[in-house]
Amino acid sequence: MMEVFRANSALFGGNMAFVEEQYERYLEDPQSVDAHWKQYFDSIRQQTKDVAHTPVIAYFEALGKQSRPVVIAASEGGGGTKAAQVQSLVNAYRALGVHQAHVDPLNRFEREKLTELEPATYGFTDADLKAPLKCATDFPIAKNATLNDLVEALKATYCGSIGVEYTYISDTAQKQWLQDRLESIQSKPTFTAEQKKHILERVTAGETLEKYLHTKYVGQKRFSGEGSESVIALLDDILQRSGEKGIRECVLGMAHRGRLNVLVNTLGKQPADLFMEFEGKYPTDLSAGDVKYHNGFSSDIQTPGGPLHLTLAFNPSHLEIVNPVVEGSCRARQLRHNDEDGSKVMPILIHGDAAVAGQGVVMETLNMSQTRYYRTGGTLHVVINNQIGFTTSDPRDTRSTIYCTDVAKMVEAPIFHVNGDDPEAVVLIGQIALDFRQTFKKDVFIDLVCFRRLGHNEQDEPMVTQPLMYRTISKHPGTRKLYADRLTSDGVLSDGEGDKMVADFRALLDKGSHTNKYILQSYIPKFVVDWSQYKNRSWDEPVKTSLSKDEIARFSTVLTTVPENFKLHSRVEKIVADRQSMAAGKASLDWGMAENLAYAGLLNDGFGIRISGQDCGRGTFFHRHAVWHDQNREIWNTGAYIPLQHIKKDTPREFTVIDSVLSEEAVLGFEYGYAITDPNELVIWEGQFGDFANGAQVVIDQFISSGEVKWGRVCGLAMFLPHGYEGQGPEHSSARLERYLQLCAENNMQVVVPSTPAQMFHMIRRQMLRQFRKPLIVMTPKSLLRHKESVSPLDDLINGQFNAVIDDTEGLDKGAVTRVVLCSGKVYFDLLAHSREKAIKDTAIVRVEQLYPFPDNVLKEILAQYPQLKEVVWCQEEPQNQGAWSHMLTYMRQHIQANQVLLYAGRAASASPAVGYASKHATQQKSLVEDAFSPDLAQHQLVWR
């Protein structure tokens, strides 16, 4: 018999789940499986140590036999064959029952009929269906049940208002947990009358607010959540049970649909405040502000386990981009709570069906979810699936997957599809999802299938593009009425009690009062951050960024001491030896040593440091070496050593450097979320090449540059963007400096182009030592990292400071200077070399190290020292339509005198950031340097006065 089974490819291929479940039962009790299976598994146990099933064994040992479902004993004589057939039917429902689940409240499409779910497919007759079931199955069913009873129980579990996808999960313990949880109750909730009334009250709150706004503010955009009101009941129960389970903070991220409803009914925003926004009234403390359906909010609610702090993240119209921001904020909060596994802080992401399937940042964020430095202990995802997205007229154009949530399968997250018209099923699934997250610390998805009562916005007419769908919706009485009628029919509500809930809620809205009874009015959370001290500060406030000679010596010892029995690569050994010489004052400091010393000083001052990006530990250009790798051990086997983690002992703040996943958008979004949550940690994102940040442009435009003026979100995030023209082509030259400068206004961020290691050192230090938290954009060097002129003496760290502008350093007679060449970055050293080679004495070279906020007064003072100045030249490597030229032109026209002219030396305007031919690059570079000193420069271009 077993030979026949082994030869059956269907059994050992697509139905492997059946074999695994037989084996799991065997592990629990060898006598519970058919004799043929027992014989086969006995032989396996004799031949192997069974390493693969160790987690399964451990799970059953921990679970205990008492909690396992009832197993019907196998019958004698042919029972093995019948057991296989029955178990195959059970497994088919577990894997495919979701396709016949009644999860669509509009019931627009006929559910797929699958032969795999028909008993006849497995050889069962009508007589078999009515006969007592005597063969073995692991589905919990009464001992005297018939096969028909089993089929009905399977349908109730997997084909009712709830459809589940989980059989693709590799971890057997997770699958068994889900199986036990669903099958033990056949996916049927058992709420008390009071609990049912509370669920109805929350659904009523959701619907009544939408209808109230629709009648009071006719035609105003609000992205109504009408049709998905069950999400309010779902969030209410999740949050209450989260607090009961010890969760102290939840950070929510969601786009527009239903956001105002969540703000009022979940987070407790005063309806009166919302109404003022509808009426055009807004706070005056923000220079720009944002539309009401982008705004965030924070509050505290009372739960059975104590206060729970809620935060709804601000979110622009880029929908899913908030996902990594929420995750980063949660990670920072977890560290504040000393929450190592995510038991105290939980992220909740609320998606739209079209967005969760269509936007790549969803995948990028999921890809990070179980990595060491981006995990948050699992995210609870809720998809408000109104089955329409924006206005996709044809379902064939919506996506290429069966379900909008199929992306969740990449991380083996369980997916619960649930009918939004069954609020009890919705709440039940929320409970199961939360418990799964808390048990296994991984993501879980709830696909709340509902509908959209109105158009994409309240000015849209959906009948134009979806006539049949909206004909069906127009006849739908609403989730609240369906549920209220059901409770009335069941005797839970008295006649008219449901209508009274609506009236009571409207009365609250008329008063502008709170609609969530759990809101705590005056509670102050333990871990609250006072951000007021970082507001209204000036970038040039004086601050001491230097270190003493003793401090540098002490830090250098830690930074250059190699642990015993730790073998460095020969090139790294040379770098460490060189750093020892630098610390002793025997050699000038390079960029890598200066940067590491800056971090060491901040760590000693009590600040944390978090650097992420691709290849950050070593540094893309082999300069940082913050992480050392033992050449005789793998990194995960104590093969890595991080000297900066040993600067200061017994401190909650630490140095973290991360070689991130190959993503810019999600990783930068995560770091932004982290930085706006923790002002005492220097958060740095480094691009492998500067223009790789192009892939994260939405984070830069919508959050980093404008988050403070729109939402009041203070942020000290630093972006390190390698920049410099070395002939490496369009994608490896320019960090697109011009884009950042174009975003600069209202002192919203800082743009710096340091030219020496000391400048980098002081710039890093001042970013934290000032109480000035603005994003810092740094054009970091590439070839300059090892340029013989781009070094600094040790004294520049001991007695120096950051200089926004650096005057000419060649000792020129200022009275003889008639031209000043202004520049930033690497081109300075090319200009310096040419000036020295040609012995030019009438031209000074001045470096503008900080391009924004522009150091007007400093530059004005420097230029005033040249009494014979006639020409001011801006020289750059970038094409004329790029780089800093347009930015500098605006400021320099304010500073040049009537007898002076402003000139440009650089590449001609170009559609590409740089050429791809090395020879052409060299020709262009030579020409722009010569132009900067050419007496004929003014004759070949427009002169600005």
Side-chain angles (χ1 to χ4, degrees), residues 649-669:
K649 297 180 180 179
D650 302 323
T651 174
R653 296 284 173 178
E654 60 182 33
F655 177 82
T656 304
V657 60
I658 308 156
D659 291 338
S660 71
V661 299
L662 193 60
S663 158
E664 288 82 37
E665 184 176 37
V667 174
L668 184 58

Side-chain angles (χ1 to χ4, degrees), residues 639-763:
Y641 179 74
I642 303 176
L644 283 164
Q645 292 182 347
H646 302 272
I647 291 294
K648 188 175 183 179
K649 297 180 180 179
D650 302 323
T651 174
R653 296 284 173 178
E654 60 182 33
F655 177 82
T656 304
V657 60
I658 308 156
D659 291 338
S660 71
V661 299
L662 193 60
S663 158
E664 288 82 37
E665 184 176 37
V667 174
L668 184 58
F670 188 102
E671 303 306 340
Y672 171 81
Y674 195 109
I676 62 171
T677 306
D678 192 344
N680 292 311
E681 188 149 348
L682 174 58
V683 182
I684 301 169
W685 179 79
E686 181 174 66
Q688 194 172 49
F689 283 87
D691 61 345
F692 287 7
N694 289 352
Q697 200 65 44
V698 63
V699 182
I700 299 164
D701 290 352
Q702 302 298 332
F703 291 94
I704 294 173
S705 66
S706 58
E708 184 171 3
V709 297
K710 290 191 299 186
W711 311 318
R713 306 304 289 162
V714 177
C715 176
L717 174 71
M719 294 176 62
F720 286 3
L721 307 173
H723 177 89
Y725 280 61
E726 281 95 8
Q728 295 190 49
E731 278 72 58
H732 292 161
S733 296
S734 174
R736 307 309 302 240
L737 171 62
E738 65 280 356
R739 293 184 179 174
Y740 299 95
L741 293 174
Q742 192 175 46
L743 293 171
C744 288
E746 303 179 85
N747 289 327
N748 62 327
M749 57 186 186
Q750 309 157 89
V751 179
V752 177
V753 190
S755 61
T756 69
Q759 283 286 89
M760 186 77 171
F761 169 88
H762 291 292
M763 177 202 71

Side-chain angles (χ1 to χ4, degrees), residues 33 71 119 136 195 212 415 522 526 582 599 617 641 666 764 874 886:
V33 299
V71 177
Q195 289 171 329
Y212 189 92
I415 304 167
S522 57
K526 178 180 178 181
M582 296 173 197
Y599 298 144
Y641 179 74
I764 291 172
W874 174 257
S886 296

Side-chain angles (χ1 to χ4, degrees), residues 37-80:
W37 282 114
K38 181 178 182 302
Q39 180 182 357
Y40 177 57
F41 293 143
D42 283 344
S43 66
I44 290 178
R45 293 298 295 269
Q46 292 171 3
Q47 298 169 19
T48 177
K49 294 181 179 179
D50 196 32
V51 175
H53 283 80
T54 299
V56 180
I57 298 170
Y59 173 75
F60 284 136
E61 288 178 348
L63 189 64
K65 294 182 180 181
Q66 293 80 0
S67 63
R68 292 285 293 141
V70 176
V71 177
I72 301 172
S75 63
E76 297 180 3

Side-chain angles (χ1 to χ4, degrees), residues 198-479:
H198 180 70
I199 293 171
L200 176 62
E201 186 273 332
R202 290 288 82 198
V203 173
T204 300
E207 181 188 84
T208 309
L209 176 65
E210 297 293 355
K211 290 186 173 181
Y212 189 92
L213 295 175
H214 192 58
T215 55
K216 189 171 183 177
Y217 302 103
V218 179
Q220 286 203 40
K221 280 186 182 180
R222 72 177 193 276
F223 297 96
S224 166
E226 195 171 351
S228 58
E229 296 90 347
S230 289
V231 75
I232 301 301
L234 173 67
L235 290 175
D236 174 83
D237 194 74
I238 286 173
L239 294 172
Q240 288 297 312
R241 295 185 75 251
S242 294
E244 189 175 11
K245 289 179 174 295
I247 293 175
R248 300 275 68 91
E249 290 197 54
C250 283
V251 183
L252 284 69
M254 68 180 298
H256 310 341
R257 180 74 51 210
R259 187 182 183 93
L260 300 184
N261 215 312
V262 170
L263 277 167
V264 171
N265 286 319
T266 302
L267 282 98
K269 183 171 183 173
Q270 291 274 18
D273 294 338
L274 178 63
F275 300 157
M276 284 195 297
E277 293 174 11
F278 271 100
E279 293 161 7
K281 301 170 185 176
Y282 53 86
T284 58
D285 57 334
L286 298 177
S287 62
D290 205 347
V291 291
K292 51 188 168 291
Y293 43 81
H294 288 177
N295 287 329
F297 197 76
S298 293
S299 64
D300 299 278
I301 64 171
Q302 184 61 54
T303 76
L308 173 66
H309 185 66
L310 298 180
T311 300
L312 177 65
F314 293 84
N315 191 28
S317 288
H318 292 270
L319 305 180
E320 301 291 339
I321 193 61
V322 77
N323 297 357
V325 176
V326 166
E327 301 294 340
S329 179
C330 278
R331 178 79 180 201
R333 293 167 194 268
Q334 286 169 352
L335 292 178
R336 208 148 61 206
H337 283 267
N338 195 26
D339 179 16
E340 296 182 358
D341 65 352
S343 295
K344 298 177 182 177
V345 181
M346 181 176 72
I348 300 175
L349 293 176
I350 305 175
H351 313 267
D353 52 317
V356 76
Q359 298 194 3
V361 71
V362 176
M363 183 282 295
E364 291 188 23
T365 306
L366 285 172
N367 186 48
M368 300 191 304
S369 64
Q370 291 298 317
T371 59
R372 288 187 298 161
Y373 299 106
Y374 300 99
R375 69 163 64 107
T376 54
T379 299
L380 204 158
H381 301 261
V382 178
V383 179
I384 298 180
N385 182 355
N386 54 42
Q387 309 182 72
I388 193 172
F390 186 4
T391 53
T392 304
S393 301
D394 193 326
R396 294 172 296 181
D397 299 329
T398 303
R399 56 181 177 268
S400 298
T401 58
I402 297 176
Y403 298 108
C404 64
T405 50
D406 281 358
V407 67
K409 295 174 184 176
M410 67 174 282
V411 293
E412 298 190 353
I415 304 167
F416 301 98
H417 307 274
V418 60
N419 192 319
D421 272 359
D422 188 345
E424 291 182 25
V426 172
V427 172
L428 171 65
I429 284 307
Q431 295 178 353
I432 295 174
L434 175 63
D435 291 348
F436 181 88
R437 186 266 180 188
Q438 289 297 92
T439 301
F440 296 104
K441 296 298 184 288
K442 65 180 293 188
D443 290 49
V444 57
F445 277 70
I446 299 172
D447 177 20
L448 179 63
V449 186
C450 48
F451 59 92
R452 191 186 72 192
R453 173 73 69 182
L454 305 175
H456 173 67
N457 61 60
E458 286 60 42
Q459 300 162 359
D460 179 41
E461 177 46 78
M463 285 290 288
V464 173
T465 48
Q466 286 87 17
L468 297 183
M469 181 181 192
Y470 272 82
R471 196 173 301 163
T472 302
I473 291 174
S474 67
K475 299 174 184 177
H476 193 288
T479 303

Side-chain angles (χ1 to χ4, degrees), residues 160-227:
S161 294
I162 297 168
V164 190
E165 294 183 274
Y166 69 96
T167 55
Y168 47 80
I169 297 175
S170 301
D171 189 302
T172 306
Q174 293 177 24
K175 284 193 294 188
Q176 190 66 57
W177 187 96
L178 290 163
Q179 206 169 286
D180 292 347
R181 188 68 181 268
L182 293 162
E183 294 175 356
S184 63
I185 60 172
Q186 295 183 14
S187 298
K188 292 179 181 177
T190 53
F191 294 117
T192 66
E194 286 306 310
Q195 289 171 329
K196 292 177 181 181
K197 287 182 180 181
H198 180 70
I199 293 171
L200 176 62
E201 186 273 332
R202 290 288 82 198
V203 173
T204 300
E207 181 188 84
T208 309
L209 176 65
E210 297 293 355
K211 290 186 173 181
Y212 189 92
L213 295 175
H214 192 58
T215 55
K216 189 171 183 177
Y217 302 103
V218 179
Q220 286 203 40
K221 280 186 182 180
R222 72 177 193 276
F223 297 96
S224 166
E226 195 171 351

